[in-house]
Protein backbone atom coordinates (compact mmCIF):
# COMPACT_ATOMS: atom_id res chain seq x y z
CA UNK A 1 0.00 0.00 0.00
CA UNK A 2 1.13 3.53 -0.67
CA UNK A 3 0.51 5.96 2.16
CA UNK A 4 0.26 9.74 2.17
CA UNK A 5 2.46 11.74 4.51
CA UNK A 6 2.33 15.35 5.55
CA UNK A 7 5.84 16.07 6.81
CA UNK A 8 5.09 19.34 8.55
CA UNK A 9 7.23 21.96 10.26
CA UNK A 10 5.44 21.51 13.57
CA UNK A 11 3.52 18.26 13.18
CA UNK A 12 3.51 15.33 10.81
CA UNK A 13 0.73 12.94 9.87
CA UNK A 14 0.31 9.74 7.92
CA UNK A 15 -2.86 8.68 6.13
CA UNK A 16 -4.13 5.86 3.95
CA UNK A 17 -6.97 5.39 1.55
CA UNK A 18 -9.96 3.24 2.51
CA UNK A 19 -13.19 2.43 0.74
CA UNK A 20 -14.80 5.31 2.60
CA UNK A 21 -12.08 7.74 1.61
CA UNK A 22 -8.78 8.86 3.11
CA UNK A 23 -8.17 8.33 6.84
CA UNK A 24 -5.49 9.45 9.26
CA UNK A 25 -3.56 6.68 11.01
CA UNK A 26 -3.14 7.32 14.74
CA UNK A 27 0.36 7.09 16.16
CA UNK A 28 1.60 4.84 18.97
CA UNK A 29 0.03 7.18 21.52
CA UNK A 30 -3.30 7.06 19.74
CA UNK A 31 -2.95 10.60 18.40
CA UNK A 32 -3.25 11.83 14.85
CA UNK A 33 -0.53 14.45 15.11
CA UNK A 34 3.08 13.50 15.71
CA UNK A 35 5.16 16.56 16.58
CA UNK A 36 8.04 16.93 14.10
CA UNK A 37 10.49 16.93 16.98
CA UNK A 38 13.49 14.65 17.43
CA UNK A 39 15.66 14.17 20.46
CA UNK A 40 18.81 12.08 20.70
CA UNK A 41 20.50 11.48 24.05
CA UNK A 42 24.18 10.85 24.72
CA UNK A 43 23.82 7.10 24.34
CA UNK A 44 22.26 7.54 20.93
CA UNK A 45 18.69 6.78 22.00
CA UNK A 46 16.26 8.43 19.59
CA UNK A 47 12.97 9.96 20.70
CA UNK A 48 10.43 11.24 18.22
CA UNK A 49 7.23 13.24 18.59
CA UNK A 50 5.62 14.11 21.86
CA UNK A 51 8.25 12.32 23.92
CA UNK A 52 10.98 14.32 22.20
CA UNK A 53 9.06 17.54 22.73
CA UNK A 54 8.57 16.74 26.39
CA UNK A 55 12.36 16.46 26.71
CA UNK A 56 12.70 20.06 25.55
CA UNK A 57 12.37 21.67 28.96
CA UNK A 58 14.60 19.10 30.69
CA UNK A 59 17.29 18.58 28.06
CA UNK A 60 17.08 21.45 25.57
CA UNK A 61 20.46 20.57 24.01
CA UNK A 62 19.22 17.17 22.95
CA UNK A 63 16.18 18.35 20.98
CA UNK A 64 15.68 19.61 17.42
CA UNK A 65 12.50 21.06 16.00
CA UNK A 66 11.37 23.02 12.92
CA UNK A 67 14.15 21.36 10.88
CA UNK A 68 11.90 21.35 7.84
CA UNK A 69 12.90 25.00 7.43
CA UNK A 70 16.49 23.95 6.80
CA UNK A 71 15.77 21.08 4.42
CA UNK A 72 18.14 21.10 1.48
CA UNK A 73 20.73 23.23 3.28
CA UNK A 74 24.05 22.21 4.77
CA UNK A 75 22.93 23.13 8.25
CA UNK A 76 23.90 20.65 10.94
CA UNK A 77 22.07 20.05 14.18
CA UNK A 78 24.05 19.00 17.24
CA UNK A 79 22.08 16.84 19.60
CA UNK A 80 23.90 15.64 22.71
CA UNK A 81 27.13 15.77 20.74
CA UNK A 82 25.85 13.89 17.67
CA UNK A 83 25.49 15.65 14.33
CA UNK A 84 22.57 15.43 11.94
CA UNK A 85 21.46 16.95 8.70
CA UNK A 86 17.86 18.19 8.41
CA UNK A 87 16.90 15.30 6.16
CA UNK A 88 18.27 12.81 8.67
CA UNK A 89 16.11 14.28 11.42
CA UNK A 90 13.15 14.22 9.02
CA UNK A 91 13.88 10.58 8.26
CA UNK A 92 13.54 9.76 11.94
CA UNK A 93 10.09 11.33 11.97
CA UNK A 94 9.17 9.42 8.81
CA UNK A 95 10.44 6.18 10.29
CA UNK A 96 8.29 6.63 13.39
CA UNK A 97 5.24 7.35 11.21
CA UNK A 98 5.98 4.33 9.03
CA UNK A 99 6.32 2.03 12.05
CA UNK A 100 3.11 3.30 13.59
CA UNK A 101 1.24 2.82 10.34
CA UNK A 102 2.67 -0.69 9.88
CA UNK A 103 1.59 -1.71 13.32
CA UNK A 104 -1.87 -0.17 12.83
CA UNK A 105 -2.47 -1.68 9.40
CA UNK A 106 -0.61 -4.92 10.00
CA UNK A 107 1.31 -4.72 6.76
CA UNK A 108 4.64 -3.46 5.58
CA UNK A 109 4.78 -0.03 4.01
CA UNK A 110 7.41 0.64 1.40
CA UNK A 111 6.17 3.62 -0.52
CA UNK A 112 4.77 7.05 0.29
CA UNK A 113 3.55 10.21 -1.36
CA UNK A 114 5.00 13.06 0.68
CA UNK A 115 3.69 16.59 0.58
CA UNK A 116 6.01 19.57 0.23
CA UNK A 117 5.36 23.30 0.21
CA UNK A 118 4.64 24.61 -3.28
CA UNK A 119 7.65 26.91 -3.13
CA UNK A 120 10.10 24.11 -2.25
CA UNK A 121 12.85 24.12 -4.87
CA UNK A 122 14.53 21.10 -6.34
CA UNK A 123 17.15 20.91 -3.60
CA UNK A 124 14.60 20.85 -0.85
CA UNK A 125 12.47 18.34 -2.71
CA UNK A 126 15.46 16.09 -3.17
CA UNK A 127 16.29 16.36 0.51
CA UNK A 128 12.70 15.35 1.30
CA UNK A 129 13.02 12.38 -0.99
CA UNK A 130 16.30 11.38 0.66
CA UNK A 131 14.63 11.61 4.06
CA UNK A 132 12.07 9.11 2.77
CA UNK A 133 14.73 6.82 1.43
CA UNK A 134 16.68 6.90 4.68
CA UNK A 135 13.47 5.85 6.42
CA UNK A 136 13.04 2.92 4.03
CA UNK A 137 10.32 4.54 1.95
CA UNK A 138 10.26 4.83 -1.81
CA UNK A 139 9.15 8.35 -2.73
CA UNK A 140 8.29 8.51 -6.40
CA UNK A 141 5.79 11.23 -6.12
CA UNK A 142 5.52 14.36 -4.10
CA UNK A 143 2.49 16.59 -3.97
CA UNK A 144 2.52 20.24 -3.17
CA UNK A 145 0.66 21.08 0.00
CA UNK A 146 -1.99 23.40 -1.47
CA UNK A 147 -2.74 20.87 -4.20
CA UNK A 148 -3.10 18.19 -1.53
CA UNK A 149 -5.51 20.42 0.35
CA UNK A 150 -7.57 21.00 -2.76
CA UNK A 151 -7.63 17.27 -3.49
CA UNK A 152 -8.70 16.47 0.06
CA UNK A 153 -11.62 18.84 -0.33
CA UNK A 154 -12.72 16.74 -3.26
CA UNK A 155 -12.37 19.67 -5.61
CA UNK A 156 -11.55 17.39 -8.46
CA UNK A 157 -15.11 16.13 -8.35
CA UNK A 158 -16.37 19.56 -9.22
CA UNK A 159 -17.76 20.08 -12.65
CA UNK A 160 -17.58 23.85 -12.67
CA UNK A 161 -14.33 25.69 -13.24
CA UNK A 162 -13.36 27.15 -9.91
CA UNK A 163 -10.66 29.33 -8.41
CA UNK A 164 -9.41 28.55 -4.94
CA UNK A 165 -7.20 30.33 -2.55
CA UNK A 166 -5.49 27.99 -0.12
CA UNK A 167 -4.46 29.84 3.01
CA UNK A 168 -1.95 27.83 4.99
CA UNK A 169 -0.80 29.20 8.32
CA UNK A 170 1.28 26.61 10.12
CA UNK A 171 3.44 26.83 13.20
CA UNK A 172 6.26 28.76 11.58
CA UNK A 173 5.43 29.27 7.94
CA UNK A 174 2.75 30.93 5.93
CA UNK A 175 1.81 30.09 2.34
CA UNK A 176 -0.85 31.37 0.05
CA UNK A 177 -1.58 29.51 -3.15
CA UNK A 178 -4.04 30.19 -5.87
CA UNK A 179 -5.26 27.15 -7.72
CA UNK A 180 -7.50 26.95 -10.68
CA UNK A 181 -9.61 24.02 -11.70
CA UNK A 182 -10.12 24.29 -15.40
CA UNK A 183 -11.49 21.45 -17.54
CA UNK A 184 -10.44 18.82 -15.03
CA UNK A 185 -6.94 20.13 -14.65
CA UNK A 186 -6.00 21.49 -11.28
CA UNK A 187 -3.29 24.02 -11.70
CA UNK A 188 -1.24 26.00 -9.22
CA UNK A 189 -1.47 29.55 -10.56
CA UNK A 190 0.56 31.46 -8.03
CA UNK A 191 2.29 30.95 -4.73
CA UNK A 192 3.49 33.47 -2.22
CA UNK A 193 4.36 33.30 1.40
CA UNK A 194 6.43 34.25 4.34
CA UNK A 195 8.86 31.71 5.73
CA UNK A 196 9.03 33.50 9.01
CA UNK A 197 5.42 33.91 9.97
CA UNK A 198 3.21 31.40 11.69
CA UNK A 199 1.22 30.38 14.74
CA UNK A 200 4.31 30.65 16.91
CA UNK A 201 4.41 34.41 16.36
CA UNK A 202 0.90 34.63 17.75
CA UNK A 203 2.05 32.70 20.83
CA UNK A 204 4.97 35.07 21.14
CA UNK A 205 2.55 38.05 21.13
CA UNK A 206 0.54 36.42 23.92
CA UNK A 207 3.71 35.88 25.91
CA UNK A 208 4.78 39.50 25.44
CA UNK A 209 1.36 40.76 26.52
CA UNK A 210 1.64 38.77 29.71
CA UNK A 211 5.16 40.01 30.42
CA UNK A 212 4.06 43.59 29.79
CA UNK A 213 1.04 43.35 32.04
CA UNK A 214 2.78 41.50 34.85
CA UNK A 215 5.89 43.66 34.75
CA UNK A 216 8.18 40.61 34.57
CA UNK A 217 11.36 41.19 32.57
CA UNK A 218 12.10 38.51 30.03
CA UNK A 219 15.82 38.69 30.71
CA UNK A 220 15.15 37.64 34.29
CA UNK A 221 13.65 34.37 33.14
CA UNK A 222 15.80 31.27 32.83
CA UNK A 223 15.59 29.22 29.67
CA UNK A 224 13.40 26.69 31.46
CA UNK A 225 11.11 29.45 32.78
CA UNK A 226 10.74 30.79 29.26
CA UNK A 227 9.79 27.37 27.94
CA UNK A 228 7.23 27.08 30.75
CA UNK A 229 5.74 30.51 30.12
CA UNK A 230 5.66 29.83 26.39
CA UNK A 231 3.61 26.73 27.07
CA UNK A 232 1.12 28.75 29.11
CA UNK A 233 0.94 31.38 26.38
CA UNK A 234 0.28 28.66 23.81
CA UNK A 235 -2.63 27.37 25.90
CA UNK A 236 -4.04 30.87 26.32
CA UNK A 237 -3.74 31.52 22.59
CA UNK A 238 -5.75 28.42 21.78
CA UNK A 239 -8.41 29.25 24.36
CA UNK A 240 -9.04 32.87 23.44
CA UNK A 241 -11.94 33.74 21.14
CA UNK A 242 -14.26 36.68 20.67
CA UNK A 243 -16.51 35.20 23.31
CA UNK A 244 -13.90 34.48 25.90
CA UNK A 245 -11.07 36.18 27.64
CA UNK A 246 -8.23 34.21 29.13
CA UNK A 247 -6.33 34.25 32.36
CA UNK A 248 -2.70 33.40 32.12
CA UNK A 249 -1.03 32.28 35.32
CA UNK A 250 2.64 31.69 35.86
CA UNK A 251 4.71 30.68 38.85
CA UNK A 252 7.46 33.29 39.19
CA UNK A 253 9.89 33.44 42.09
CA UNK A 254 7.62 31.23 44.17
CA UNK A 255 4.64 33.47 43.54
CA UNK A 256 1.78 32.82 41.16
CA UNK A 257 1.26 35.77 38.80
CA UNK A 258 -2.10 35.98 37.05
CA UNK A 259 -3.13 38.27 34.23
CA UNK A 260 -6.40 38.55 32.36
CA UNK A 261 -6.18 39.12 28.61
CA UNK A 262 -9.20 40.15 26.54
CA UNK A 263 -9.85 39.34 22.91
CA UNK A 264 -9.66 42.99 21.98
CA UNK A 265 -6.30 43.46 23.67
CA UNK A 266 -4.94 40.42 21.96
CA UNK A 267 -6.32 41.44 18.58
CA UNK A 268 -4.71 44.87 18.87
CA UNK A 269 -1.40 43.33 19.85
CA UNK A 270 -1.61 41.05 16.78
CA UNK A 271 -2.26 43.93 14.39
CA UNK A 272 1.25 43.81 12.88
CA UNK A 273 1.01 40.09 12.26
CA UNK A 274 -2.34 40.49 10.52
CA UNK A 275 -0.82 43.18 8.31
CA UNK A 276 1.98 40.79 7.41
CA UNK A 277 -0.60 38.19 6.41
CA UNK A 278 -2.19 40.59 3.97
CA UNK A 279 1.00 41.02 1.92
CA UNK A 280 1.39 37.52 0.41
CA UNK A 281 -2.37 37.36 -0.21
CA UNK A 282 -2.08 40.50 -2.31
CA UNK A 283 1.06 39.32 -4.08
CA UNK A 284 -0.40 35.96 -5.06
CA UNK A 285 -3.51 37.62 -6.43
CA UNK A 286 -1.43 40.09 -8.42
CA UNK A 287 0.75 37.27 -9.81
CA UNK A 288 -2.33 35.36 -10.89
CA UNK A 289 -3.88 38.54 -12.31
CA UNK A 290 -6.92 38.23 -10.07
CA UNK A 291 -8.89 40.32 -7.60
CA UNK A 292 -10.08 39.25 -4.16
CA UNK A 293 -13.60 38.95 -5.53
CA UNK A 294 -12.46 36.48 -8.24
CA UNK A 295 -11.79 33.82 -5.62
CA UNK A 296 -14.62 31.30 -5.52
CA UNK A 297 -13.48 29.30 -2.52
CA UNK A 298 -11.24 29.91 0.43
CA UNK A 299 -9.64 26.86 2.05
CA UNK A 300 -7.86 27.03 5.37
CA UNK A 301 -5.08 24.68 6.35
CA UNK A 302 -2.43 24.68 9.06
CA UNK A 303 -3.14 24.63 12.79
CA UNK A 304 -2.98 28.39 13.24
CA UNK A 305 -6.00 29.00 10.99
CA UNK A 306 -8.01 27.85 14.01
CA UNK A 307 -7.24 31.15 15.69
CA UNK A 308 -10.45 33.19 15.81
CA UNK A 309 -8.39 36.30 15.21
CA UNK A 310 -7.13 34.92 11.91
CA UNK A 311 -10.54 33.65 10.83
CA UNK A 312 -12.28 36.92 11.65
CA UNK A 313 -9.62 38.78 9.72
CA UNK A 314 -10.07 36.57 6.65
CA UNK A 315 -13.84 36.81 6.70
CA UNK A 316 -13.51 40.59 6.73
CA UNK A 317 -10.89 40.53 3.97
CA UNK A 318 -12.62 38.14 1.57
CA UNK A 319 -16.21 38.85 2.62
CA UNK A 320 -16.64 35.13 2.46
CA UNK A 321 -16.80 32.27 4.93
CA UNK A 322 -14.02 29.76 4.48
CA UNK A 323 -14.71 26.13 3.78
CA UNK A 324 -13.74 24.37 6.98
CA UNK A 325 -15.40 21.01 6.82
CA UNK A 326 -12.06 19.28 7.21
CA UNK A 327 -9.74 19.55 10.16
CA UNK A 328 -7.07 22.06 9.07
CA UNK A 329 -4.29 19.96 10.58
CA UNK A 330 -5.29 16.89 8.64
CA UNK A 331 -6.23 18.18 5.21
CA UNK A 332 -2.81 17.90 3.60
CA UNK A 333 -2.17 14.34 4.78
CA UNK A 334 -5.63 13.29 3.58
CA UNK A 335 -4.90 14.84 0.18
CA UNK A 336 -1.57 13.02 0.00
CA UNK A 337 -3.42 9.75 0.70
CA UNK A 338 -5.86 10.48 -2.14
CA UNK A 339 -2.88 11.13 -4.38
CA UNK A 340 -1.37 7.81 -3.26
CA UNK A 341 -4.63 6.11 -4.24
CA UNK A 342 -4.47 7.82 -7.64
CA UNK A 343 -0.96 6.54 -8.09
CA UNK A 344 -2.16 3.04 -7.26
CA UNK A 345 -4.95 3.61 -9.78
CA UNK A 346 -7.62 2.66 -7.31
CA UNK A 347 -11.12 2.59 -8.68
CA UNK A 348 -12.62 4.85 -6.04
CA UNK A 349 -10.68 7.84 -7.29
CA UNK A 350 -10.46 9.01 -10.82
CA UNK A 351 -7.02 10.21 -11.81
CA UNK A 352 -7.07 13.95 -12.10
CA UNK A 353 -4.33 15.85 -13.69
CA UNK A 354 -2.56 17.68 -10.94
CA UNK A 355 -0.03 20.18 -11.90
CA UNK A 356 2.95 21.53 -10.18
CA UNK A 357 5.76 23.76 -11.27
CA UNK A 358 9.14 22.61 -12.46
CA UNK A 359 11.67 24.28 -10.20
CA UNK A 360 14.59 24.40 -12.67
CA UNK A 361 15.15 24.83 -16.38
CA UNK A 362 15.70 21.86 -18.69
CA UNK A 363 17.39 22.40 -22.01
CA UNK A 364 20.11 21.37 -24.40
CA UNK A 365 23.45 22.50 -25.76
CA UNK A 366 23.44 24.35 -29.07
CA UNK A 367 25.70 26.22 -31.42
CA UNK A 368 24.62 29.80 -31.90
CA UNK A 369 25.27 31.89 -34.97
CA UNK A 370 25.95 35.24 -33.39
CA UNK A 371 26.93 37.02 -36.62
CA UNK A 372 26.60 35.99 -40.24
CA UNK A 373 28.90 32.96 -40.60
CA UNK A 374 30.29 33.19 -37.05
CA UNK A 375 29.35 30.48 -34.58
CA UNK A 376 29.76 29.99 -30.89
CA UNK A 377 29.30 26.55 -29.44
CA UNK A 378 28.58 25.45 -25.89
CA UNK A 379 25.50 27.60 -25.42
CA UNK A 380 22.46 26.53 -23.47
CA UNK A 381 19.04 26.48 -25.10
CA UNK A 382 16.19 26.24 -22.55
CA UNK A 383 13.36 23.94 -23.57
CA UNK A 384 11.23 23.71 -20.41
CA UNK A 385 11.74 26.82 -18.34
CA UNK A 386 11.83 27.11 -14.58
CA UNK A 387 8.40 27.59 -13.00
CA UNK A 388 6.64 26.07 -15.97
CA UNK A 389 3.54 24.27 -14.82
CA UNK A 390 4.10 20.51 -15.08
CA UNK A 391 3.30 18.07 -16.59
CA UNK A 392 4.72 20.02 -19.48
CA UNK A 393 5.79 19.23 -22.99
CA UNK A 394 7.75 21.64 -25.17
CA UNK A 395 9.36 21.28 -28.56
CA UNK A 396 12.27 23.19 -29.99
CA UNK A 397 13.45 22.86 -33.62
CA UNK A 398 17.23 22.69 -34.08
CA UNK A 399 19.02 22.95 -37.47
CA UNK A 400 22.25 21.40 -38.67
CA UNK A 401 25.23 23.74 -38.38
CA UNK A 402 27.70 22.13 -40.78
CA UNK A 403 27.49 21.08 -44.44
CA UNK A 404 27.03 17.34 -44.82
CA UNK A 405 26.44 16.91 -41.11
CA UNK A 406 25.14 13.37 -40.67
CA UNK A 407 24.34 13.27 -36.99
CA UNK A 408 22.67 15.49 -34.41
CA UNK A 409 23.55 14.96 -30.80
CA UNK A 410 21.17 16.28 -28.14
CA UNK A 411 22.79 16.73 -24.76
CA UNK A 412 20.21 17.04 -21.98
CA UNK A 413 21.05 19.66 -19.40
CA UNK A 414 19.50 21.17 -16.32
CA UNK A 415 20.30 24.61 -14.92
CA UNK A 416 20.01 28.32 -15.41
CA UNK A 417 23.36 29.31 -16.94
CA UNK A 418 23.65 30.58 -20.51
CA UNK A 419 26.63 28.28 -20.94
CA UNK A 420 26.13 24.56 -21.27
CA UNK A 421 29.26 23.74 -19.28
CA UNK A 422 27.85 25.37 -16.14
CA UNK A 423 24.69 23.32 -16.19
CA UNK A 424 24.12 19.80 -14.99
CA UNK A 425 24.51 17.07 -17.60
CA UNK A 426 21.70 14.50 -17.44
CA UNK A 427 22.26 12.38 -20.54
CA UNK A 428 22.27 12.49 -24.34
CA UNK A 429 20.69 11.05 -27.42
CA UNK A 430 21.80 11.09 -31.09
CA UNK A 431 19.97 10.72 -34.41
CA UNK A 432 21.23 10.37 -37.95
CA UNK A 433 20.20 13.01 -40.46
CA UNK A 434 20.53 12.94 -44.27
CA UNK A 435 23.61 14.79 -45.51
CA UNK A 436 22.73 18.24 -46.84
CA UNK A 437 23.97 21.82 -46.84
CA UNK A 438 23.99 23.30 -43.32
CA UNK A 439 20.69 24.61 -42.01
CA UNK A 440 18.62 22.46 -44.36
CA UNK A 441 18.11 19.53 -42.07
CA UNK A 442 16.39 19.90 -38.73
CA UNK A 443 15.31 17.91 -35.70
CA UNK A 444 12.40 18.54 -33.35
CA UNK A 445 13.47 18.06 -29.75
CA UNK A 446 10.56 17.47 -27.39
CA UNK A 447 11.00 17.43 -23.64
CA UNK A 448 8.15 16.08 -21.56
CA UNK A 449 8.45 16.43 -17.82
CA UNK A 450 5.87 14.95 -15.48
CA UNK A 451 4.97 15.11 -11.83
CA UNK A 452 7.05 12.04 -11.02
CA UNK A 453 10.12 13.95 -12.22
CA UNK A 454 10.49 11.73 -15.25
CA UNK A 455 11.95 13.52 -18.23
CA UNK A 456 11.26 12.08 -21.64
CA UNK A 457 13.36 13.39 -24.49
CA UNK A 458 12.22 12.66 -28.02
CA UNK A 459 14.21 13.71 -31.07
CA UNK A 460 12.49 13.52 -34.46
CA UNK A 461 14.23 14.15 -37.76
CA UNK A 462 11.92 16.50 -39.61
CA UNK A 463 12.69 15.22 -43.14
CA UNK A 464 12.60 11.46 -42.48
CA UNK A 465 10.41 11.14 -39.39
CA UNK A 466 13.06 8.95 -37.69
CA UNK A 467 12.77 9.10 -33.89
CA UNK A 468 15.01 8.48 -30.89
CA UNK A 469 13.81 8.51 -27.33
CA UNK A 470 15.53 8.83 -24.00
CA UNK A 471 13.97 8.64 -20.57
CA UNK A 472 15.83 10.25 -17.74
CA UNK A 473 14.90 9.28 -14.26
CA UNK A 474 18.03 10.74 -12.79
CA UNK A 475 16.70 14.24 -13.31
CA UNK A 476 15.89 14.03 -9.66
CA UNK A 477 19.17 12.45 -8.62
CA UNK A 478 18.03 9.76 -6.25
CA UNK A 479 20.48 8.54 -3.67
CA UNK A 480 22.05 5.31 -4.80
CA UNK A 481 21.36 2.14 -2.83
CA UNK A 482 24.96 2.25 -1.75
CA UNK A 483 24.80 5.82 -0.48
CA UNK A 484 21.69 5.05 1.51
CA UNK A 485 23.25 1.90 2.95
CA UNK A 486 26.40 3.82 3.91
CA UNK A 487 24.56 6.59 5.66
CA UNK A 488 22.30 4.10 7.41
CA UNK A 489 25.38 2.26 8.56
CA UNK A 490 26.82 5.49 9.93
CA UNK A 491 23.61 6.16 11.79
CA UNK A 492 23.33 2.62 13.05
CA UNK A 493 24.56 3.55 16.51
CA UNK A 494 21.20 5.19 17.02
CA UNK A 495 18.86 3.18 19.15
CA UNK A 496 15.30 3.53 18.04
CA UNK A 497 13.12 3.06 21.10
CA UNK A 498 10.68 0.16 21.03
CA UNK A 499 7.26 1.66 20.44
CA UNK A 500 5.51 -0.34 23.20
CA UNK A 501 7.02 1.70 26.01
CA UNK A 502 6.38 5.10 24.52
CA UNK A 503 3.48 5.95 26.81
CA UNK A 504 5.53 5.06 29.92
CA UNK A 505 8.42 7.19 28.76
CA UNK A 506 6.19 10.13 28.00
CA UNK A 507 4.41 9.99 31.38
CA UNK A 508 7.74 9.80 33.22
CA UNK A 509 9.22 12.72 31.31
CA UNK A 510 6.18 14.84 31.89
CA UNK A 511 6.20 13.95 35.58
CA UNK A 512 9.91 14.78 35.85
CA UNK A 513 9.35 18.13 34.22
CA UNK A 514 6.46 18.96 36.50
CA UNK A 515 8.44 17.86 39.53
CA UNK A 516 11.14 20.35 38.60
CA UNK A 517 8.56 23.08 38.21
CA UNK A 518 6.67 22.34 41.43
CA UNK A 519 7.49 23.17 45.03
CA UNK A 520 6.52 22.04 48.51
CA UNK A 521 3.55 19.74 48.91
CA UNK A 522 2.89 19.53 45.19
CA UNK A 523 6.41 18.31 44.72
CA UNK A 524 6.05 15.69 47.46
CA UNK A 525 2.81 14.45 46.00
CA UNK A 526 4.32 14.13 42.54
CA UNK A 527 7.33 12.36 44.00
CA UNK A 528 5.07 9.79 45.71
CA UNK A 529 3.29 8.89 42.51
CA UNK A 530 6.43 8.88 40.38
CA UNK A 531 8.15 6.55 42.86
CA UNK A 532 5.15 4.21 42.84
CA UNK A 533 5.15 4.14 39.05
CA UNK A 534 8.90 3.51 38.85
CA UNK A 535 8.58 0.70 41.39
CA UNK A 536 5.82 -0.88 39.29
CA UNK A 537 8.01 -0.57 36.19
CA UNK A 538 10.86 -2.34 38.00
CA UNK A 539 8.62 -5.19 39.11
CA UNK A 540 7.42 -5.53 35.55
CA UNK A 541 3.85 -6.65 36.25
CA UNK A 542 1.75 -5.37 33.36
CA UNK A 543 -1.50 -4.71 35.23
CA UNK A 544 0.29 -3.03 38.07
CA UNK A 545 2.19 -0.80 35.64
CA UNK A 546 -1.05 0.20 33.93
CA UNK A 547 -2.70 1.05 37.26
CA UNK A 548 0.24 3.06 38.54
CA UNK A 549 0.53 4.88 35.23
CA UNK A 550 -3.13 5.75 35.24
CA UNK A 551 -2.87 7.10 38.80
CA UNK A 552 0.15 9.17 37.91
CA UNK A 553 -1.59 10.42 34.79
CA UNK A 554 -4.59 11.60 36.78
CA UNK A 555 -2.30 13.60 39.09
CA UNK A 556 -0.43 15.07 36.12
CA UNK A 557 -3.68 16.17 34.47
CA UNK A 558 -4.77 17.80 37.71
CA UNK A 559 -1.50 19.55 38.35
CA UNK A 560 -0.37 20.65 34.88
CA UNK A 561 -1.53 24.21 34.60
P1 LIG B 1 0.92 23.21 11.96
O1 LIG B 1 2.35 23.57 11.62
O2 LIG B 1 0.01 23.29 10.81
O3 LIG B 1 0.79 21.96 12.73
O4 LIG B 1 0.39 24.38 12.92
C1 LIG B 1 0.81 24.49 14.22
C2 LIG B 1 0.36 25.83 14.76
O5 LIG B 1 -1.06 25.83 14.92
C3 LIG B 1 0.95 26.13 16.12
O6 LIG B 1 1.44 27.45 16.15
C4 LIG B 1 -0.25 25.98 17.04
O7 LIG B 1 -0.14 26.85 18.13
C5 LIG B 1 -1.41 26.37 16.18
N1 LIG B 1 -2.66 25.79 16.65
C6 LIG B 1 -2.99 24.49 16.74
N2 LIG B 1 -4.24 24.35 17.28
C7 LIG B 1 -4.70 25.58 17.53
C8 LIG B 1 -5.93 26.11 18.08
N3 LIG B 1 -6.90 25.32 18.48
N4 LIG B 1 -6.05 27.45 18.18
C9 LIG B 1 -5.05 28.25 17.77
N5 LIG B 1 -3.88 27.83 17.25
C10 LIG B 1 -3.70 26.51 17.13
Amino acid sequence: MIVGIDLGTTNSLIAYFTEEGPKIIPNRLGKNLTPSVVSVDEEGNVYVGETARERMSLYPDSVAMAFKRSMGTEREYHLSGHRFKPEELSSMVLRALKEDAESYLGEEITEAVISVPAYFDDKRRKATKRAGELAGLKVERMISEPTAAAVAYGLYDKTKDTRFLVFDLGGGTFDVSILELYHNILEVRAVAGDNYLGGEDFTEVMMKLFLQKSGIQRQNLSEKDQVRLYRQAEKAKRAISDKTEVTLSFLYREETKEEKITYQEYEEACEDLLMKIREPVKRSLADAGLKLSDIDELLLIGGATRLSIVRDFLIRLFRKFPDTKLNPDETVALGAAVQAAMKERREEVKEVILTDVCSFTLGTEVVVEYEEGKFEDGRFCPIIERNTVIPASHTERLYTVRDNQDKVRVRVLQGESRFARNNLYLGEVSVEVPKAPKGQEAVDVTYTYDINSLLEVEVTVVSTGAKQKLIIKGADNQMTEEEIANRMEELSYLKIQPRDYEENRLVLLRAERMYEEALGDRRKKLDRYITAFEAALKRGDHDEIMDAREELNVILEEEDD
Side-chain angles (χ1 to χ4, degrees), residues 6 8-13 33 168-173 198-203 230 234-235 237-240 301-308 328-329:
D6 170 7
T9 311
T10 325
N11 291 299
S12 296
L13 301 92
L33 299 182
D168 177 2
L169 192 63
T173 52
E200 279 144 32
D201 298 296
F202 287 84
T203 310
Y230 190 84
E234 172 76 27
K235 268 194 197 162
K237 176 188 85 171
R238 290 178 186 226
I240 202 164
I301 56 174
T305 56
R306 287 222 180 80
L307 275 162
S308 325
D329 296 320

Side-chain angles (χ1 to χ4, degrees), residues 119-138:
Y119 62 82
F120 252 29
D121 62 9
D122 193 41
K123 248 186 162 169
R124 296 174 186 216
R125 283 170 200 245
K126 273 186 199 153
T128 306
K129 201 167 194 161
R130 270 202 303 278
E133 283 158 4
L134 285 168
L137 288 168
K138 190 158 85 174

